[in-house]
Amino acid sequence: MFDPTVFDNLKVAFENQLYDLDNLDKEITIVSRHDRLDLASMSREFRLGFTLQANANVTAEICLEASLRDLADEIMEEPEESPGCTLRLFFYMTVEDPDTECPLIESILTQIWTPPSRPEQTLQYTYDKQQKQYQNTTEVRFDRKVNENQMEDIPNLIDHILDSLEALTTE
């Protein structure tokens, strides 16, 4: 019989919560889903992107990752290791004035998440196009691995993501 890993259990928990918010509550719209197994590094990655149904200007994405070391520690039941996954959050939006908008984005996300490290923003644009907009990708990182012990925190985490989407769309 297949014994699901921490990664599998967390992935299903996130999917259940988010698809309920999409299909049942009509609060969000799922816009992307990626479930990857990298055979070269034997790592796993799951990404689920969504927007608020009322305003699709900002997209949030949950990224759950498990490395070969994470999976091996769990399967081998290493007593001194605590199996878990890496959780990262991304927010994608368009900005026109980075000098004004990026500090505001950082302030909003720092107030909601209060992570140990500040959100990291990356700006991207297409060269030689007459556009005055930049694609902003903001990453929120967490300083520890997550596992099934945090399963009951998932609804609260998703509420924080929804609060972030709401605050970023009204900025």
Side-chain angles (χ1 to χ4, degrees), residues 74-121:
E74 180 176 0
I75 292 168
M76 300 303 292
E77 298 180 4
E78 295 290 334
E80 65 277 351
E81 297 297 328
S82 177
C85 300
T86 300
L87 176 65
R88 299 183 302 153
L89 304 176
F90 295 92
F91 296 94
Y92 304 99
M93 67 209 81
T94 301
V95 296
E96 294 177 2
D97 182 9
D99 292 331
T100 304
E101 294 176 68
C102 290
L104 182 58
I105 291 165
E106 180 178 332
S107 174
I108 288 169
L109 293 177
T110 301
Q111 287 176 28
I112 293 172
W113 293 100
T114 59
S117 63
R118 67 184 222 200
E120 183 176 295
Q121 297 183 62

Short mmCIF file of all heavy atoms in Angstrom, two decimals, residues 74-121:
data_model
loop_
_atom_site.label_atom_id
_atom_site.label_comp_id
_atom_site.label_asym_id
_atom_site.label_seq_id
_atom_site.Cartn_x
_atom_site.Cartn_y
_atom_site.Cartn_z
N GLU A 74 12.35 11.42 5.41
CA GLU A 74 11.04 10.89 5.80
C GLU A 74 10.94 9.38 5.56
O GLU A 74 10.52 8.62 6.44
CB GLU A 74 9.94 11.61 5.03
CG GLU A 74 8.56 11.11 5.39
CD GLU A 74 7.47 11.88 4.69
OE1 GLU A 74 7.75 12.81 3.92
OE2 GLU A 74 6.30 11.52 4.94
N ILE A 75 11.34 8.94 4.39
CA ILE A 75 11.22 7.53 4.04
C ILE A 75 12.13 6.66 4.91
O ILE A 75 11.75 5.59 5.36
CB ILE A 75 11.51 7.32 2.54
CG1 ILE A 75 10.38 7.97 1.72
CG2 ILE A 75 11.64 5.84 2.19
CD1 ILE A 75 10.69 8.10 0.24
N MET A 76 13.34 7.16 5.16
CA MET A 76 14.31 6.41 5.97
C MET A 76 14.05 6.56 7.47
O MET A 76 14.70 5.91 8.27
CB MET A 76 15.74 6.86 5.65
CG MET A 76 16.12 6.65 4.19
SD MET A 76 15.96 4.94 3.63
CE MET A 76 17.25 4.17 4.55
N GLU A 77 13.08 7.42 7.82
CA GLU A 77 12.71 7.67 9.22
C GLU A 77 13.93 7.98 10.07
O GLU A 77 14.15 7.39 11.14
CB GLU A 77 11.92 6.49 9.78
CG GLU A 77 10.61 6.26 9.05
CD GLU A 77 9.81 5.09 9.58
OE1 GLU A 77 10.20 4.47 10.58
OE2 GLU A 77 8.77 4.80 8.97
N GLU A 78 14.72 8.94 9.60
CA GLU A 78 15.90 9.38 10.32
C GLU A 78 15.47 10.00 11.65
O GLU A 78 14.70 10.96 11.66
CB GLU A 78 16.69 10.40 9.49
CG GLU A 78 17.27 9.85 8.21
CD GLU A 78 18.41 8.87 8.45
OE1 GLU A 78 19.07 8.96 9.50
OE2 GLU A 78 18.62 8.00 7.60
N PRO A 79 15.94 9.47 12.78
CA PRO A 79 15.45 9.94 14.08
C PRO A 79 15.83 11.39 14.40
O PRO A 79 15.07 12.09 15.05
CB PRO A 79 16.10 8.98 15.08
CG PRO A 79 17.21 8.32 14.36
CD PRO A 79 16.89 8.38 12.91
N GLU A 80 16.99 11.85 13.95
CA GLU A 80 17.40 13.21 14.27
C GLU A 80 16.88 14.25 13.28
O GLU A 80 17.08 15.44 13.45
CB GLU A 80 18.93 13.31 14.38
CG GLU A 80 19.69 13.04 13.09
CD GLU A 80 19.91 11.56 12.80
OE1 GLU A 80 19.65 10.69 13.65
OE2 GLU A 80 20.34 11.26 11.68
N GLU A 81 16.21 13.81 12.24
CA GLU A 81 15.68 14.72 11.23
C GLU A 81 14.17 14.89 11.39
O GLU A 81 13.48 13.98 11.84
CB GLU A 81 15.98 14.20 9.81
CG GLU A 81 17.45 14.11 9.48
CD GLU A 81 18.16 15.44 9.50
OE1 GLU A 81 17.53 16.47 9.18
OE2 GLU A 81 19.35 15.46 9.85
N SER A 82 13.70 16.05 11.04
CA SER A 82 12.26 16.33 11.07
C SER A 82 11.80 16.56 9.63
O SER A 82 12.06 17.61 9.06
CB SER A 82 12.00 17.58 11.91
OG SER A 82 10.63 17.90 11.88
N PRO A 83 11.14 15.56 9.03
CA PRO A 83 10.75 15.71 7.63
C PRO A 83 9.77 16.86 7.43
O PRO A 83 8.95 17.15 8.28
CB PRO A 83 10.09 14.38 7.29
CG PRO A 83 9.96 13.61 8.54
CD PRO A 83 10.70 14.33 9.62
N GLY A 84 9.92 17.50 6.29
CA GLY A 84 9.03 18.62 5.99
C GLY A 84 9.24 19.10 4.58
O GLY A 84 10.01 18.53 3.81
N CYS A 85 8.55 20.16 4.24
CA CYS A 85 8.60 20.75 2.91
C CYS A 85 8.89 22.25 3.03
O CYS A 85 8.65 22.86 4.07
CB CYS A 85 7.25 20.60 2.21
SG CYS A 85 6.72 18.90 2.01
N THR A 86 9.36 22.80 1.95
CA THR A 86 9.56 24.24 1.87
C THR A 86 8.30 24.86 1.30
O THR A 86 7.76 24.38 0.31
CB THR A 86 10.76 24.57 0.96
OG1 THR A 86 11.93 23.94 1.50
CG2 THR A 86 10.98 26.06 0.85
N LEU A 87 7.82 25.92 1.96
CA LEU A 87 6.64 26.64 1.50
C LEU A 87 7.06 28.06 1.14
O LEU A 87 7.73 28.73 1.93
CB LEU A 87 5.57 26.68 2.60
CG LEU A 87 4.32 27.48 2.30
CD1 LEU A 87 3.53 26.84 1.16
CD2 LEU A 87 3.45 27.61 3.54
N ARG A 88 6.69 28.47 -0.07
CA ARG A 88 6.94 29.84 -0.52
C ARG A 88 5.66 30.39 -1.13
O ARG A 88 4.87 29.63 -1.69
CB ARG A 88 8.07 29.89 -1.54
CG ARG A 88 9.39 29.39 -0.98
CD ARG A 88 10.54 29.51 -1.95
NE ARG A 88 10.31 28.78 -3.19
CZ ARG A 88 10.86 29.12 -4.36
NH1 ARG A 88 11.64 30.16 -4.45
NH2 ARG A 88 10.61 28.40 -5.43
N LEU A 89 5.46 31.68 -1.00
CA LEU A 89 4.30 32.34 -1.58
C LEU A 89 4.78 33.38 -2.59
O LEU A 89 5.80 34.04 -2.36
CB LEU A 89 3.48 33.05 -0.50
CG LEU A 89 2.99 32.20 0.65
CD1 LEU A 89 2.28 33.08 1.68
CD2 LEU A 89 2.07 31.09 0.16
N PHE A 90 4.05 33.50 -3.67
CA PHE A 90 4.36 34.48 -4.69
C PHE A 90 3.12 35.32 -4.98
O PHE A 90 2.00 34.80 -4.96
CB PHE A 90 4.81 33.80 -6.00
CG PHE A 90 6.10 33.05 -5.88
CD1 PHE A 90 6.09 31.71 -5.54
CD2 PHE A 90 7.31 33.69 -6.08
CE1 PHE A 90 7.28 30.99 -5.43
CE2 PHE A 90 8.50 32.99 -5.96
CZ PHE A 90 8.49 31.65 -5.63
N PHE A 91 3.35 36.60 -5.23
CA PHE A 91 2.29 37.51 -5.65
C PHE A 91 2.75 38.16 -6.94
O PHE A 91 3.85 38.71 -7.01
CB PHE A 91 2.00 38.56 -4.57
CG PHE A 91 1.48 37.96 -3.30
CD1 PHE A 91 2.35 37.64 -2.27
CD2 PHE A 91 0.13 37.69 -3.14
CE1 PHE A 91 1.88 37.06 -1.10
CE2 PHE A 91 -0.35 37.12 -1.98
CZ PHE A 91 0.52 36.80 -0.95
N TYR A 92 1.91 38.08 -7.98
CA TYR A 92 2.23 38.61 -9.30
C TYR A 92 1.30 39.76 -9.61
O TYR A 92 0.08 39.62 -9.48
CB TYR A 92 2.07 37.53 -10.38
CG TYR A 92 2.87 36.28 -10.12
CD1 TYR A 92 2.28 35.16 -9.56
CD2 TYR A 92 4.24 36.22 -10.44
CE1 TYR A 92 3.02 34.00 -9.32
CE2 TYR A 92 4.98 35.07 -10.21
CZ TYR A 92 4.36 33.96 -9.65
OH TYR A 92 5.09 32.83 -9.41
N MET A 93 1.87 40.90 -10.03
CA MET A 93 1.06 42.06 -10.37
C MET A 93 1.83 42.97 -11.32
O MET A 93 3.04 42.80 -11.49
CB MET A 93 0.66 42.83 -9.11
CG MET A 93 1.83 43.49 -8.40
SD MET A 93 1.63 43.68 -6.64
CE MET A 93 2.07 42.07 -6.06
N THR A 94 1.14 43.91 -11.90
CA THR A 94 1.75 44.89 -12.79
C THR A 94 1.92 46.19 -12.01
O THR A 94 1.00 46.60 -11.29
CB THR A 94 0.85 45.14 -14.02
OG1 THR A 94 0.67 43.89 -14.69
CG2 THR A 94 1.48 46.13 -14.96
N VAL A 95 3.09 46.81 -12.15
CA VAL A 95 3.32 48.11 -11.54
C VAL A 95 3.76 49.09 -12.62
O VAL A 95 4.39 48.71 -13.60
CB VAL A 95 4.38 48.06 -10.40
CG1 VAL A 95 3.90 47.21 -9.25
CG2 VAL A 95 5.71 47.59 -10.91
N GLU A 96 3.39 50.35 -12.42
CA GLU A 96 3.78 51.38 -13.38
C GLU A 96 4.88 52.28 -12.84
O GLU A 96 5.70 52.77 -13.59
CB GLU A 96 2.55 52.22 -13.76
CG GLU A 96 1.52 51.41 -14.53
CD GLU A 96 0.27 52.20 -14.86
OE1 GLU A 96 0.19 53.40 -14.51
OE2 GLU A 96 -0.65 51.61 -15.46
N ASP A 97 4.88 52.50 -11.54
CA ASP A 97 5.88 53.36 -10.90
C ASP A 97 6.56 52.58 -9.78
O ASP A 97 6.14 52.65 -8.63
CB ASP A 97 5.19 54.62 -10.35
CG ASP A 97 6.17 55.59 -9.71
OD1 ASP A 97 7.39 55.38 -9.84
OD2 ASP A 97 5.70 56.55 -9.07
N PRO A 98 7.61 51.84 -10.12
CA PRO A 98 8.27 50.98 -9.13
C PRO A 98 8.78 51.74 -7.90
O PRO A 98 8.71 51.22 -6.78
CB PRO A 98 9.44 50.36 -9.89
CG PRO A 98 9.09 50.48 -11.32
CD PRO A 98 8.24 51.70 -11.44
N ASP A 99 9.26 52.97 -8.09
CA ASP A 99 9.80 53.72 -6.95
C ASP A 99 8.73 54.03 -5.91
O ASP A 99 9.04 54.16 -4.72
CB ASP A 99 10.45 55.02 -7.44
CG ASP A 99 11.71 54.76 -8.25
OD1 ASP A 99 12.38 53.72 -8.00
OD2 ASP A 99 12.02 55.59 -9.13
N THR A 100 7.50 54.14 -6.33
CA THR A 100 6.40 54.40 -5.41
C THR A 100 5.69 53.12 -4.98
O THR A 100 5.42 52.91 -3.79
CB THR A 100 5.37 55.35 -6.08
OG1 THR A 100 6.03 56.53 -6.49
CG2 THR A 100 4.24 55.68 -5.13
N GLU A 101 5.40 52.26 -5.95
CA GLU A 101 4.58 51.08 -5.68
C GLU A 101 5.32 49.96 -4.94
O GLU A 101 4.73 49.29 -4.09
CB GLU A 101 3.99 50.54 -6.98
CG GLU A 101 2.98 51.51 -7.61
CD GLU A 101 2.47 51.03 -8.95
OE1 GLU A 101 1.74 50.01 -8.97
OE2 GLU A 101 2.81 51.67 -9.97
N CYS A 102 6.57 49.73 -5.26
CA CYS A 102 7.31 48.62 -4.62
C CYS A 102 7.47 48.79 -3.10
O CYS A 102 7.26 47.83 -2.36
CB CYS A 102 8.65 48.39 -5.31
SG CYS A 102 8.47 47.70 -6.96
N PRO A 103 7.81 49.99 -2.61
CA PRO A 103 7.85 50.15 -1.15
C PRO A 103 6.48 49.92 -0.50
O PRO A 103 6.38 49.38 0.60
CB PRO A 103 8.33 51.59 -0.95
CG PRO A 103 9.07 51.92 -2.20
CD PRO A 103 8.35 51.17 -3.30
N LEU A 104 5.42 50.32 -1.19
CA LEU A 104 4.07 50.12 -0.67
C LEU A 104 3.73 48.63 -0.61
O LEU A 104 3.18 48.15 0.38
CB LEU A 104 3.06 50.87 -1.54
CG LEU A 104 1.60 50.80 -1.10
CD1 LEU A 104 1.42 51.33 0.31
CD2 LEU A 104 0.73 51.58 -2.09
N ILE A 105 4.09 47.89 -1.67
CA ILE A 105 3.87 46.44 -1.70
C ILE A 105 4.63 45.78 -0.55
O ILE A 105 4.08 44.93 0.17
CB ILE A 105 4.30 45.86 -3.07
CG1 ILE A 105 3.34 46.34 -4.16
CG2 ILE A 105 4.37 44.33 -3.02
CD1 ILE A 105 3.85 46.12 -5.58
N GLU A 106 5.88 46.17 -0.37
CA GLU A 106 6.68 45.61 0.72
C GLU A 106 6.05 45.91 2.08
O GLU A 106 5.96 45.03 2.94
CB GLU A 106 8.10 46.18 0.67
CG GLU A 106 8.98 45.64 1.77
CD GLU A 106 10.40 46.16 1.68
OE1 GLU A 106 10.87 46.48 0.58
OE2 GLU A 106 11.04 46.26 2.75
N SER A 107 5.59 47.12 2.26
CA SER A 107 4.97 47.51 3.53
C SER A 107 3.69 46.69 3.80
O SER A 107 3.49 46.19 4.91
CB SER A 107 4.63 49.00 3.49
OG SER A 107 3.91 49.37 4.63
N ILE A 108 2.86 46.55 2.78
CA ILE A 108 1.61 45.78 2.94
C ILE A 108 1.92 44.33 3.34
O ILE A 108 1.35 43.81 4.30
CB ILE A 108 0.79 45.81 1.63
CG1 ILE A 108 0.19 47.19 1.41
CG2 ILE A 108 -0.29 44.74 1.63
CD1 ILE A 108 -0.40 47.41 0.02
N LEU A 109 2.82 43.70 2.61
CA LEU A 109 3.10 42.28 2.88
C LEU A 109 3.85 42.08 4.19
O LEU A 109 3.62 41.10 4.90
CB LEU A 109 3.87 41.67 1.71
CG LEU A 109 3.05 41.56 0.41
CD1 LEU A 109 3.90 41.02 -0.72
CD2 LEU A 109 1.81 40.70 0.61
N THR A 110 4.70 43.01 4.55
CA THR A 110 5.42 42.90 5.82
C THR A 110 4.45 43.03 7.00
O THR A 110 4.59 42.34 8.00
CB THR A 110 6.53 43.97 5.91
OG1 THR A 110 7.43 43.77 4.82
CG2 THR A 110 7.29 43.85 7.21
N GLN A 111 3.44 43.89 6.87
CA GLN A 111 2.44 44.03 7.93
C GLN A 111 1.60 42.78 8.08
O GLN A 111 1.25 42.38 9.19
CB GLN A 111 1.53 45.22 7.64
CG GLN A 111 2.20 46.56 7.85
CD GLN A 111 1.29 47.71 7.47
OE1 GLN A 111 0.07 47.60 7.54
NE2 GLN A 111 1.88 48.82 7.06
N ILE A 112 1.26 42.14 6.96
CA ILE A 112 0.40 40.95 7.02
C ILE A 112 1.18 39.72 7.46
O ILE A 112 0.71 38.92 8.27
CB ILE A 112 -0.28 40.71 5.66
CG1 ILE A 112 -1.27 41.85 5.37
CG2 ILE A 112 -1.00 39.35 5.62
CD1 ILE A 112 -1.88 41.84 3.98
N TRP A 113 2.40 39.56 6.96
CA TRP A 113 3.14 38.32 7.18
C TRP A 113 4.17 38.42 8.28
O TRP A 113 4.50 37.42 8.90
CB TRP A 113 3.83 37.87 5.88
CG TRP A 113 2.81 37.48 4.87
CD1 TRP A 113 2.35 38.22 3.83
CD2 TRP A 113 2.07 36.26 4.85
NE1 TRP A 113 1.39 37.53 3.15
CE2 TRP A 113 1.19 36.32 3.76
CE3 TRP A 113 2.08 35.11 5.64
CZ2 TRP A 113 0.33 35.28 3.44
CZ3 TRP A 113 1.22 34.09 5.32
CH2 TRP A 113 0.35 34.17 4.23
N THR A 114 4.71 39.56 8.52
CA THR A 114 5.80 39.75 9.48
C THR A 114 6.81 38.60 9.44
O THR A 114 7.11 37.97 10.45
CB THR A 114 5.28 39.94 10.92
OG1 THR A 114 4.51 38.79 11.31
CG2 THR A 114 4.49 41.20 11.08
N PRO A 115 7.34 38.30 8.24
CA PRO A 115 8.35 37.23 8.16
C PRO A 115 9.69 37.73 8.70
O PRO A 115 9.90 38.93 8.79
CB PRO A 115 8.44 36.94 6.66
CG PRO A 115 8.07 38.23 6.02
CD PRO A 115 7.08 38.90 6.95
N PRO A 116 10.57 36.80 9.00
CA PRO A 116 11.88 37.21 9.49
C PRO A 116 12.69 37.95 8.42
O PRO A 116 13.49 38.80 8.72
CB PRO A 116 12.58 35.91 9.88
CG PRO A 116 11.73 34.82 9.36
CD PRO A 116 10.40 35.38 8.99
N SER A 117 12.46 37.63 7.16
CA SER A 117 13.13 38.36 6.08
C SER A 117 12.07 39.10 5.28
O SER A 117 10.94 38.64 5.16
CB SER A 117 13.93 37.42 5.19
OG SER A 117 13.08 36.50 4.56
N ARG A 118 12.44 40.21 4.73
CA ARG A 118 11.44 41.01 4.01
C ARG A 118 11.08 40.35 2.68
O ARG A 118 11.88 39.61 2.11
CB ARG A 118 11.93 42.42 3.82
CG ARG A 118 13.10 42.56 2.90
CD ARG A 118 13.57 44.00 2.87
NE ARG A 118 13.87 44.36 1.50
CZ ARG A 118 14.63 45.36 1.18
NH1 ARG A 118 15.16 46.10 2.11
NH2 ARG A 118 14.86 45.64 -0.09
N PRO A 119 9.88 40.65 2.18
CA PRO A 119 9.47 40.10 0.88
C PRO A 119 10.45 40.55 -0.21
O PRO A 119 10.93 41.68 -0.19
CB PRO A 119 8.09 40.70 0.64
CG PRO A 119 7.61 41.17 1.97
CD PRO A 119 8.83 41.48 2.76
N GLU A 120 10.75 39.66 -1.12
CA GLU A 120 11.70 39.97 -2.20
C GLU A 120 10.92 40.23 -3.48
O GLU A 120 10.14 39.39 -3.91
CB GLU A 120 12.65 38.79 -2.39
CG GLU A 120 13.71 39.04 -3.43
CD GLU A 120 14.68 37.88 -3.52
OE1 GLU A 120 15.40 37.63 -2.54
OE2 GLU A 120 14.70 37.23 -4.59
N GLN A 121 11.18 41.39 -4.08
CA GLN A 121 10.47 41.78 -5.30
C GLN A 121 11.42 41.75 -6.50
O GLN A 121 12.54 42.21 -6.42
CB GLN A 121 9.89 43.19 -5.16
CG GLN A 121 8.84 43.29 -4.06
CD GLN A 121 8.24 44.66 -3.99
OE1 GLN A 121 7.61 45.11 -4.94
NE2 GLN A 121 8.42 45.33 -2.86
#
